[in-house]
Amino acid sequence: MSSPAPSTLKEIYPVPAATRENTLCTDKDYETLYQWSVEDPEGFWRRQKDRISWFEDPGLIKNTSFEGDVSIKWFEDGTLNASYNCIDRHLDKHGDEIALIFEGDDPSVDQNVTYRELHGHVCRFANVLKAQGVKKGDRVTIYMPMILDTVYAMLACARIGAVHSVVFGGFSSEAIAGRLDDCQSRFVITTDEGLRGGRKIPLKANVDDAIARLASEFGGSVDKVLVVRHTGGDVAFNADRDVWYHEAAETVDADCPPEPMNAEDPLFILYTSGSTGQPKGVLHTTGGYMVYTSMTHEYIFDYKPGEVYWCTADVGWITGHSYIVYGPLANRATSLVFEGVPSYPDASRFWQIVDKHQVNIFYTAPTAIRALMREGDDLVKKSSRSSLRLLGSVGEPINPEAWNWYHNVVGDARCPIVDTWWQTETGGVLITPLPGATDLKPGSATRPFFGIRPALVDTDGNLLDGATEGNLVMLDSWPGQMRTVYGDHERFIQTYFSTYKGMYFTGDGCRRDEDDYYWITGRVDDVINVSGHRMGTAEIESALVAHDLVSEAAVVGYPHDLKGQGIYAYVTCNAGVEPTDELRKELVKWVRAEIGPIASPDMIQFAPGLPKTRSGKIMRRILRKIAENEFGSLGDTSTLADPSIVDILIENRQNK
Ligand code: WT7
């Protein structure tokens, strides 16, 4: 059976009657609330803060400025604890409800954890951290697979006021070392191994290697490595530094009171790639983040306690932080944690999990949808999926074919799709449909969430009116916004507030149509989006030139059927080095080791030189066109120092 042709795609999908009847927010509610939220943010957020439990209720609501030194503070005189909000406040009446469902990589492994059990696990974990010397404000690096202990570890940090820095389990030891150094983290939590698609991932060994690199490259060290036993695989153990979690847990108390935190105390750091330099430590704080993630989770997924909600992201990314852990648990949701991959044991795994755990709300990325679409409809249709009522998409623009398939085949043309646009920096979703309020247009993230004031500007920063296209900015702050780049506030100002004065620049291009719907067109900076993962081209370039045989490299994105964008690297070798297929393979391996598999170049083109202006600036526009195989539209090449290089690059591209 094949999926319906894209031509069956309609322009507008109205809110289904069944959704409208039982929704938190209709179209009229949306209009009223949105108007209130932008006309009177103080009043609006003063009301909304009450969705969170405060130890000391904030009197001050919003104190934010995008000018000058840029200062963003929300609820600044309030105190609260994120783990209390995710656990303790539910215990009295709802302690026996399911907080987390674990589905293992191995389909025969699963586990339900109630809110009361979650409380026990997190308290014990928190007391182990304390016993190892972790104090309020310390940075704790978490390098773990998608298992429940990872959620316990995050919430345990939050409980005692430590700041977690989760490093995605697919990153290399070099990447871990850089992140340990950047936030001066002296504690690491990991597992013996991870398990994905039946394969073991040597997480503890990667941590060992990272700590060796931390010492040799940065002169740094860590105090303790806490190791959670997961696969039971053999690992090297350094008795002075390494601690088995299960041993430490035996000797600690079962209760740990939550530490009262100021609303503006840091909750976590998460590293993300930008257009220049090394990844930035995006810092999120406590009060505004909890208000914003819980509110967006409830409204966007129209969440009602009792429903099973599944976000397939990894907790190593912001999506996992905000919409597997903090938002859902604050809302007393049942949140599913899946350890494995969509293709194991076969490509029907997602839909089997949906049936097995009766998932109601399913949130995934376009890259996963495209990969599963390729496998054919039969794998989907052999499951019932009758429990599903809402689908979500995140990470990159969703192409019409994928939208259509997601809607018709996965959702049986019954379930609305919320295409949620946001960023690591935004903490939560900013542009999105609300399922009971917004008519859908496939490919559009539709309308701003409450309190969000998007605008489009031209390259000079002039605001553009009406139906048009431009650079996407935000005119005012929202509670979930990042507060700074950890340890480098100047870089925060430079990156986000200097391109257009007084506005937050997202780095995305965007079109707005006649109905005021927003259509994200992709990054306008040197950031590429590979399978919904963000990569800085500069980072991959610096990894490539760190290789002994490479003198120069330039990396651009190009359209890729599955990944959205693929990584295209132009590499100039040192004089006398023979560019061979062998070397190509060696360089791919090298980048994987320097950054991680997600940064592997899809194409490497050896280039005798790169197109540069007379002042030495690489003209990426031209490199992008060549990578895209669009030789006809190269634009003006006359300003190049050596225009002939372009012909050579085109010839080599065509010969590949
Ligand atoms: C970039 C942010 C936010 C969680 C995942 C990615 C792109 C994200 C969408 C969407 C079109 C999207 C943007 C954005 N993006 N969601 N629904 N439609 N583009 O977080 O790694 O910080 O990347 O992802 O380009 O700037 P991130």
Side-chain angles (χ1 to χ4, degrees):
M1 224 179 285
S2 66
S3 39
S7 59
T8 63
L9 200 64
K10 290 184 282 198
E11 255 172 55
I12 288 214
Y13 289 75
V15 175
T19 308
R20 197 189 297 270
E21 271 158 31
N22 183 22
T23 185
L24 180 65
C25 182
T26 64
D27 50 349
K28 288 202 189 64
D29 303 332
Y30 171 75
E31 291 306 332
T32 316
L33 281 171
Y34 183 75
Q35 281 314 319
W36 179 22
S37 75
V38 294
E39 281 161 17
D40 174 23
E42 282 275 331
F44 180 83
W45 292 109
R46 185 178 297 281
R47 175 74 64 81
Q48 295 307 326
K49 73 167 170 46
D50 293 335
R51 58 170 36 257
I52 286 303
S53 305
W54 300 86
F55 297 143
E56 266 173 70
D57 198 33
L60 301 170
I61 303 300
K62 179 175 189 284
N63 180 5
T64 66
S65 165
F66 286 179
E67 311 271 345
D69 281 345
V70 183
S71 166
I72 296 158
K73 290 183 182 148
W74 285 88
F75 315 115
E76 61 187 296
D77 59 347
T79 63
L80 75 164
N81 181 283
S83 106
Y84 179 92
N85 272 283
C86 289
I87 309 170
D88 305 49
R89 65 170 177 160
H90 309 318
L91 294 181
D92 237 7
K93 293 201 186 108
H94 306 282
D96 297 327
E97 292 172 17
I98 309 291
L100 296 166
I101 299 175
F102 176 68
E103 169 75 13
D105 186 57
D106 173 345
S108 69
V109 174
D110 60 17
Q111 188 190 349
N112 287 356
V113 173
T114 65
Y115 274 95
R116 199 175 319 283
E117 289 163 342
L118 178 61
H119 179 259
H121 289 297
V122 170
C123 281
R124 212 170 268 284
F125 214 118
N127 282 331
V128 168
L129 292 178
K130 279 186 178 171
Q132 297 308 318
V134 179
K135 300 210 164 38
K136 182 171 174 171
D138 286 348
R139 278 77 56 218
V140 175
T141 299
I142 298 179
Y143 183 67
M144 290 178 79
M146 279 292 292
I147 58 176
L148 296 182
D149 305 78
T150 311
V151 180
Y152 305 157
M154 292 165 74
L155 291 171
C157 288
R159 199 160 185 90
I160 64 173
V163 183
H164 58 70
S165 161
V166 180
V167 177
F168 172 57
F171 278 129
S172 67
S173 51
E174 181 65 31
I176 308 169
R179 287 156 172 76
L180 282 169
D181 174 64
D182 185 81
C183 68
Q184 298 287 296
S185 167
R186 305 192 67 91
F187 301 93
V188 180
I189 310 173
T190 189
T191 60
D192 44 11
E193 296 171 316
L195 204 54
R196 277 169 71 80
R199 281 190 313 123
K200 291 181 169 170
I201 320 285
L203 297 181
K204 169 66 164 65
N206 289 350
V207 168
D208 291 342
D209 191 34
I211 294 171
R213 284 169 183 257
L214 178 67
S216 63
E217 291 169 31
F218 302 95
S221 65
V222 306
D223 295 345
K224 292 286 174 203
V225 177
L226 198 56
V227 190
V228 173
R229 189 146 71 192
H230 178 47
T231 63
D234 271 347
V235 293
F237 226 72
N238 170 344
D240 297 333
R241 188 195 70 193
D242 301 343
V243 177
W244 280 114
Y245 176 76
H246 62 272
E247 288 176 7
E250 276 173 19
T251 60
V252 299
D253 251 30
D255 187 41
C256 172
E259 184 74 26
M261 304 297 288
N262 180 270
E264 285 301 337
D265 279 339
L267 179 60
F268 65 84
I269 300 166
L270 189 58
Y271 285 86
T272 194
S273 302
S275 44
T276 57
Q278 289 306 303
K280 299 179 279 284
V282 168
L283 184 86
H284 283 289
T285 59
T286 311
Y289 178 81
M290 291 307 295
V291 170
Y292 198 74
T293 53
S294 76
M295 184 174 185
T296 45
H297 174 262
E298 185 179 8
Y299 275 85
I300 295 166
F301 300 106
D302 213 355
Y303 186 79
K304 299 162 196 84
E307 290 187 306
V308 177
Y309 161 88
W310 179 20
C311 164
T312 70
D314 192 287
V315 289
W317 310 111
I318 190 71
T319 312
H321 283 59
S322 301
Y323 298 114
I324 293 177
V325 181
Y326 290 108
L329 296 180
N331 290 340
R332 193 163 39 91
T334 299
S335 181
L336 193 149
V337 173
F338 175 42
E339 180 182 21
V341 295
S343 54
Y344 178 83
D346 66 42
S348 68
R349 185 72 192 276
F350 272 4
W351 324 123
Q352 284 174 13
I353 296 174
V354 166
D355 281 355
K356 177 176 173 188
H357 297 292
Q358 291 293 292
V359 172
N360 305 114
I361 302 163
F362 177 74
Y363 189 29
T364 196
T367 185
I369 299 167
R370 286 192 299 267
L372 294 172
M373 185 167 86
R374 265 201 181 178
E375 304 288 333
D377 299 4
D378 291 349
L379 282 172
V380 187
K381 290 190 169 157
K382 71 183 191 192
S383 66
S384 145
R385 286 158 291 107
S386 59
S387 57
L388 286 178
R389 70 160 181 82
L390 181 64
L391 304 172
S393 171
V394 60
E396 55 173 311
I398 179 165
N399 49 307
E401 292 78 2
W403 197 98
N404 203 21
W405 187 81
Y406 200 26
H407 186 255
N408 287 341
V409 181
V410 176
D412 281 326
R414 245 178 343 99
C415 307
I417 298 177
V418 288
D419 177 356
T420 62
W421 176 87
W422 57 299
Q423 310 179 295
T424 306
E425 293 87 339
T426 69
V429 174
L430 300 197
I431 302 183
T432 179
L434 301 185
T438 319
D439 295 343
L440 305 175
K441 297 189 188 186
S444 171
T446 76
R447 307 276 301 130
F449 191 73
F450 306 126
I452 303 305
R453 293 178 54 202
L456 302 182
V457 294
D458 64 18
T459 40
D460 297 326
N462 301 307
L463 288 171
L464 304 171
D465 285 333
T468 185
E469 192 167 337
N471 296 320
L472 181 64
V473 297
M474 297 296 152
L475 299 180
D476 200 358
S477 181
W478 61 98
Q481 184 171 24
M482 76 181 283
R483 302 303 197 251
T484 191
V485 170
Y486 186 83
D488 197 348
H489 195 66
E490 196 46 46
R491 190 169 176 202
F492 176 59
I493 301 172
Q494 273 305 318
T495 309
Y496 304 105
F497 301 94
S498 68
T499 319
Y500 306 113
K501 231 183 132 348
M503 305 172 195
Y504 167 79
F505 179 40
T506 63
D508 278 0
C510 184
R511 181 167 72 80
R512 185 172 51 216
D513 71 15
E514 56 291 346
D515 297 321
D516 272 348
Y517 274 45
Y518 288 81
W519 302 71
I520 308 296
T521 51
R523 301 289 304 197
V524 294
D525 52 10
D526 291 321
V527 169
I528 52 183
N529 190 325
V530 183
S531 302
H533 299 316
R534 190 163 142 182
M535 294 300 320
T537 52
E539 236 177 296
I540 307 172
E541 287 161 7
S542 70
L544 283 166
V545 296
H547 191 280
D548 278 350
L549 304 181
V550 173
S551 82
E552 207 169 25
V555 170
V556 296
Y558 74 106
H560 188 287
D561 279 354
L562 281 183
K563 301 179 178 183
Q565 278 189 301
I567 299 175
Y568 199 107
Y570 295 88
V571 170
T572 307
C573 297
N574 287 333
V577 174
E578 178 78 6
T580 58
D581 269 346
E582 218 93 291
L583 179 56
R584 213 178 251 129
K585 284 190 197 122
E586 156 74 22
L587 291 176
V588 171
K589 221 171 104 193
W590 174 263
V591 174
R592 289 170 74 93
E594 288 286 301
I595 305 175
I598 56 168
S600 310
D602 297 281
M603 301 262 237
I604 291 184
Q605 175 173 347
F606 290 113
L610 297 171
K612 290 183 185 168
T613 59
R614 288 190 194 94
S615 60
K617 195 172 175 318
I618 296 175
M619 289 192 70
R620 288 169 184 281
R621 175 175 57 80
I622 293 175
L623 292 177
R624 270 186 222 117
K625 291 286 179 203
I626 296 174
E628 287 165 10
N629 258 322
E630 283 189 30
F631 311 126
S633 52
L634 290 180
D636 184 12
T637 56
S638 63
T639 56
L640 290 175
D642 175 10
S644 72
I645 197 72
V646 174
D647 299 327
I648 301 176
L649 292 182
I650 292 177
E651 205 184 303
N652 289 349
R653 173 76 171 106
Q654 285 168 328
N655 289 341
K656 273 169 63 71

